[in-house]
Amino acid sequence: MRIFGVLIIAVSLLIVVLSAFFGWNLPIALKGLIDFASLICVLGPVLGGCLVAYGSDTYKGCGAIFKTTLSQEETAIAVDVYKLAGRISIGAGFMGVMFGVIAMLQAMGAGSSDSWDMGAFTHGIALALISTLYGLVCAFCLFLPLQYYFQHQLDKDS
């Protein structure tokens, strides 16, 4: 599982690099609000990082959402998995910022100052902002509430 996690991280970052620097266009829906490269930039490292850290126990933590009753061990694993996922999603969002800023600066440096590629320039800014948004939304609107829910369940059982 850990090797599979590392592979997921590597493939997701490769997709982001191909999109940011080489203009590999991924499908875009809702005219800019959903950017698949940014989404992969955040969710790929989250999934891969949880698999690297917890291996097959990641499934116990993530599958805990769908179970009605949990053992204390499964609840503790779920708390740890969602805590890690929140931290990784914030970090992955800021990795997207770095990719976006580098792509933006690369577009500025291509040619003379009056022949900038504004499409590549604004794509870098969009990648940076949307990746940050996805990282923060995943961390604070998804993983943190799930972590607190399972922590509450763990405290209640103790």
Side-chain angles (χ1 to χ4, degrees), residues 2-157:
R2 298 183 202 292
I3 294 172
F4 186 61
V6 170
L7 185 64
I8 289 174
I9 293 171
V11 168
S12 64
L13 292 179
L14 178 67
I15 290 172
V16 173
V17 167
L18 287 174
S19 175
F21 299 111
F22 300 109
W24 188 44
N25 292 326
L26 296 172
I28 295 179
L30 297 178
K31 299 206 182 207
L33 187 57
I34 297 177
D35 182 37
F36 288 105
S38 299
L39 194 60
I40 291 169
C41 180
V42 172
L43 294 181
V46 168
L47 177 62
C50 289
L51 286 173
V52 167
Y54 290 100
S56 61
D57 286 343
T58 301
Y59 295 122
K60 289 181 187 176
C62 294
I65 299 172
F66 304 110
K67 291 185 179 179
T68 56
T69 57
L70 295 171
S71 69
Q72 197 166 10
E73 178 192 0
E74 289 174 324
T75 308
I77 290 171
V79 168
D80 292 340
V81 166
Y82 289 121
K83 186 185 297 184
L84 178 65
R87 290 177 178 167
I88 292 174
S89 67
I90 291 172
F94 285 107
M95 275 189 340
V97 169
M98 293 298 110
F99 285 129
V101 168
I102 292 169
M104 179 187 68
L105 292 173
Q106 184 181 20
M108 286 176 61
S112 64
S113 62
D114 39 313
S115 66
W116 284 358
D117 183 6
M118 285 303 280
F121 181 79
T122 57
H123 178 72
I125 294 171
L127 178 71
L129 293 175
I130 292 175
S131 295
T132 305
L133 175 69
Y134 287 165
L136 293 174
V137 166
C138 286
F140 292 114
C141 297
L142 180 64
F143 299 131
L144 190 65
L146 286 169
Q147 174 194 340
Y148 285 152
Y149 170 76
F150 287 112
Q151 183 65 49
H152 177 71
Q153 296 298 319
L154 191 62
D155 293 342
K156 198 165 59 170
D157 290 340

